[in-house]
Amino acid sequence: MTDITRRHFGFMAGASLTALGLPILSAPSLAQGKPRVVIIGGGPGGATAARYIAKESNGAIDVTLIEPQKTFTTCFFSNLYVGGFRDYKSLTHNYDKVKKGGVKVVHAMAASIDRDKKQVTLAGGGKVPYDRLLVAPGIDLKFDSVPGYSEKAAEIMPHAWKPGAQTQLLVKKLNALKDGDQIVMIAPPNPYRCPPGPYERVSMFAHVLKKKGHKKSRIVILDPKPAFSKQGVFTEGWEKHYPGMIEWQDPKIHGGIKGVDVKTGEVKTDFTNYKPALVNVIPAQHAGKIARDAGLTNQSGFCPIDAASMKSTVDPNIFVVGDASIAGDMPKSAFSANSQAKVAAMVIRSELTQSRAFPARYSNTCWSLIAPDDDIKVGASYEPVDGVIKASNSFVSQRNESADLRKQNYKESVDWYNGISADIFG
Amino acid sequence: MRRAMPARISATRLVVIGGAMALGLIGSPAWSADVEYGRHLSAECATCHGASKSDSTIPDIHGLGEAHFVEVLRAYRAKALPNPVMQSIAVRLGDEEISALAAYFATAKKPK
Ligand SMILES: Cc1cc2nc3c(=O)[nH]c(=O)nc-3n(C[C@H](O)[C@H](O)[C@H](O)COP(=O)(O)OP(=O)(O)OC[C@H]3O[C@@H](n4cnc5c(N)ncnc54)[C@H](O)[C@@H]3O)c2cc1C
């Protein structure tokens, strides 16, 4: 055997599912017709998986995507809408190309999963049987993690951490502010979707106020965390573009976030009572209800998965990708969800149609805009190591980078948005 | 099919790649490429490279000549080209992966 063939042989052996340490399940018998894959949730995780399974299996697998909404508005880049860099329409995508790609799209809410019978019950009562189920419902907000906050209160103090009307409400309130007004953001505890998101959003708040000529308006971030993503470069950018406007408080400074009162508009910490003109509350998060109800979550509120396949550690017929999953070092991002979906799609196809399986690899980059043409990024490659998804080759923007580089980052992020949107929705 | 380097690759990049070649970082693929493996690996690239236009900072890589493709990826891997995004992607690609990707992208069409 030559070196080359031995290498190939090693690769092939390494690629088999047994070698990856996954249980082998018998493929559904062809007598039952095509194997059926059902996907819950048409966001970056679910829609990517649906499209890749349909495309790569060339019709050999029956793919059904269950998603209540007819259009999907992305949370990613919604901060750019807040800052006035995008219009709302540019964030909204439909499922026409997903359907054209051979996916059956059922616009309904999945009400429950019967794991023994392997079927999903729709809110309308219909049943959808599956051979493999992929669950990608994103997150739900734990409103009561902030005392006094609730779904109803969000109509006055928006979270805008789920896309749609909430984001529009936030923008309306932001644009109505007068010079001298105060904004308070309550940032979320880990883990939450989009680690740099709150800080990019604050940058966009500041940009809008600065553009309106505000001199006296102030933004206070009350953070339950002692540190945050890309902190060094965010802080540098805030000092440069918005000197004196943004104050970040960690628990040592605020002493503890006591809660909000929507009636009086107050936000209370251990040390101070604020009465801001705009309050943005981003509460703690857990996996979407359907995943919790089906028993796919652990005590963390998110779904444990096998790092080599995104398969639920609870049920071998179910995969969980995106924000709902516990993906080790990977942040909860659209990029991560899209990347995880491709691994799950590959493993699902190989289990159902004996197509070739390959070792899992993941990647992620998150760009954040601080001010016009000043964009920073953080990213890494990821692989399963001892059952956990581990980061390698990570990078993050540095202080004192050139304006050209930051502008290049911004253009890159716009190209990425177009690329990933096409990858997810066609 | 092998194609000359596209005009859009900048002069500085060419110098860097030239340097990498001189250092022996760049050679020709040592085995025949596994296109199916390349197609699989290309899913990672689609997140960024799937909707490029002529003026995009993320270039279109569909139909890129294999020799150029291999050279550029090896240069990113060697950090001879600066973009950390592509470095992070390329660092974990072995020669076999790069050849497979090059063979796949040489004839791949940008998704419509
Ligand atoms: C302000 C902000 C900025 C962000 N910026 C970025 C960024 O720059 N880059 C980045 O990569 N990420 C970013 N993100 C994160 C990104 O939006 C999420 O990580 C991503 O949307 C997760 O995808 P998902 O598919 O897991 O879940 P989701 O996008 O939440 O999609 C879940 C889908 O499932 C559906 N669903 C839920 N329950 C059911 C059910 N029972 N039945 C049927 N369907 C159901 C929902 O309707 C929804 O369409 C940002 C997030 C926020 C809030």
Side-chain angles (χ1 to χ4, degrees):
Chain A
M1 208 188 247
T2 68
D3 253 330
I4 295 158
T5 43
R6 209 175 300 134
R7 209 184 304 233
H8 266 286
F9 179 75
F11 164 67
M12 304 282 281
S16 86
L17 285 177
T18 11
L20 288 172
L22 299 178
I24 297 276
L25 297 162
S26 57
S29 84
L30 285 171
Q32 296 173 324
K34 283 189 205 177
R36 293 156 306 190
V37 174
V38 174
I39 291 157
I40 298 179
T48 303
R51 272 178 29 86
Y52 272 78
I53 295 169
K55 178 162 66 98
E56 299 297 314
S57 71
N58 284 317
I61 296 176
D62 188 86
V63 186
T64 304
L65 175 66
I66 304 172
E67 163 62 54
Q69 310 179 86
K70 295 255 158 70
T71 58
F72 186 90
T73 302
T74 60
C75 263
F76 45 109
F77 268 35
S78 68
N79 284 332
L80 272 60
Y81 162 62
V82 172
F85 296 90
R86 305 281 294 209
D87 61 20
Y88 190 74
K89 231 182 99 199
S90 75
L91 306 178
T92 303
H93 306 268
N94 63 43
Y95 293 95
D96 292 354
K97 287 188 176 161
V98 176
K99 289 176 195 160
K100 274 200 198 112
V103 176
K104 283 184 208 149
V105 181
V106 177
H107 287 299
M109 195 76 181
S112 65
I113 302 167
D114 186 332
R115 284 166 37 197
D116 294 329
K117 287 199 187 130
K118 294 209 280 179
Q119 68 183 15
V120 176
T121 302
L122 302 175
K127 310 256 189 235
V128 189
Y130 65 82
D131 295 302
R132 293 293 181 278
L133 176 67
L134 185 134
V135 179
I139 50 122
D140 279 345
L141 300 168
K142 287 171 148 170
F143 288 96
D144 59 7
S145 67
V146 176
Y149 198 56
S150 63
E151 194 160 3
K152 188 97 185 74
E155 287 163 27
I156 294 161
M157 298 179 172
H159 52 78
W161 220 242
K162 289 202 170 199
Q166 274 282 310
T167 319
Q168 287 171 307
L169 177 63
L170 182 71
V171 167
K172 205 172 122 207
K173 287 184 176 272
L174 175 67
N175 290 337
L177 294 181
K178 293 189 208 53
D179 196 10
D181 280 347
Q182 186 185 45
I183 302 176
V184 169
M185 168 188 276
I186 299 185
N190 290 322
Y192 62 96
R193 71 163 32 152
C194 196
Y199 313 97
E200 180 184 56
R201 178 175 287 171
V202 163
S203 309
M204 294 297 97
F205 287 164
H207 165 71
V208 168
L209 300 181
K210 181 180 171 181
K211 210 173 145 200
K212 289 205 294 181
H214 286 207
K215 299 272 185 291
K216 294 176 296 186
S217 297
R218 295 288 176 268
I219 306 168
V220 178
I221 308 166
L222 301 175
D223 212 319
K225 306 180 291 296
F228 62 87
S229 170
K230 296 187 265 195
Q231 185 163 358
V233 260
F234 266 119
T235 309
E236 180 198 49
W238 293 343
E239 280 159 12
K240 179 175 168 200
H241 301 289
Y242 319 111
M245 194 187 268
I246 300 169
E247 183 195 352
W248 177 73
Q249 299 189 6
D250 70 6
K252 271 196 249 134
I253 301 172
H254 59 65
I257 300 161
K258 292 281 166 257
V260 297
D261 185 336
V262 274
K263 286 212 186 73
T264 61
E266 282 174 307
V267 180
K268 290 181 187 159
T269 69
D270 215 18
F271 298 134
T272 318
N273 271 10
Y274 296 93
K275 213 172 165 196
L278 168 58
V279 187
N280 180 197
V281 183
I282 310 170
Q285 296 155 31
H286 51 181
K289 183 170 188 298
I290 187 89
R292 302 195 318 271
D293 288 354
L296 299 171
T297 50
N298 65 15
Q299 69 291 349
S300 73
F302 293 95
C303 305
I305 48 88
D306 168 60
S309 61
M310 299 307 295
K311 186 189 285 250
S312 165
T313 57
V314 176
D315 186 326
N317 297 307
I318 298 182
F319 293 71
V320 185
V321 303
D323 287 357
S325 68
I326 302 173
D329 288 348
M330 294 186 84
K332 297 190 187 302
S333 72
F335 200 133
S336 295
N338 168 265
S339 175
Q340 293 156 7
K342 290 170 190 174
V343 169
M346 177 269 295
V347 175
I348 289 172
R349 281 199 303 119
S350 98
E351 286 187 0
L352 295 177
T353 64
Q354 281 71 53
S355 64
R356 246 171 103 182
F358 300 94
R361 53 169 80 210
Y362 308 91
S363 49
N364 177 67
T365 299
C366 285
W367 289 265
S368 306
L369 189 61
I370 304 179
D373 289 333
D374 188 355
D375 196 286
I376 52 176
K377 60 187 175 188
V378 59
S381 309
Y382 303 84
E383 266 159 22
V385 178
D386 301 329
V388 181
I389 301 180
K390 284 275 176 214
S392 61
N393 313 314
S394 53
F395 60 89
V396 58
S397 293
Q398 301 296 311
R399 288 168 181 262
N400 295 315
E401 283 172 342
S402 74
D404 277 356
L405 186 60
R406 294 295 181 82
K407 186 174 178 176
Q408 183 83 358
N409 286 347
Y410 178 60
K411 288 192 186 153
E412 220 172 84
S413 76
V414 174
D415 290 340
W416 164 79
Y417 185 87
N418 295 334
I420 194 170
S421 299
D423 200 30
I424 298 167
F425 299 106
Chain B
M1 184 197 71
R2 304 208 161 194
R3 208 168 67 174
M5 282 204 185
R8 76 164 170 269
I9 195 153
S10 69
T12 40
R13 280 208 210 165
L14 279 179
V15 172
V16 178
I17 294 171
M21 272 175 170
L23 288 169
L25 295 170
I26 293 171
S28 56
W31 44 74
S32 63
D34 178 347
V35 181
E36 193 189 349
Y37 187 31
R39 182 181 172 91
H40 160 72
L41 293 169
S42 76
E44 181 179 34
C45 325
T47 309
C48 293
H49 284 284
S52 304
K53 299 192 189 75
S54 58
D55 61 344
S56 297
T57 42
I58 304 184
D60 187 5
I61 55 173
H62 300 85
L64 221 55
E66 280 185 65
H68 168 70
F69 190 102
V70 170
E71 278 165 23
V72 176
L73 276 186
R74 289 186 185 185
Y76 282 120
R77 189 173 66 184
K79 308 209 169 171
L81 284 172
N83 198 310
V85 166
M86 274 310 297
Q87 288 176 355
S88 177
I89 297 279
V91 161
R92 68 166 162 192
L93 299 173
D95 288 345
E96 182 175 355
E97 281 77 23
I98 292 179
S99 305
L101 281 161
Y104 170 73
F105 274 110
T107 57
K109 299 258 181 316
K110 192 166 78 182
K112 281 199 201 76

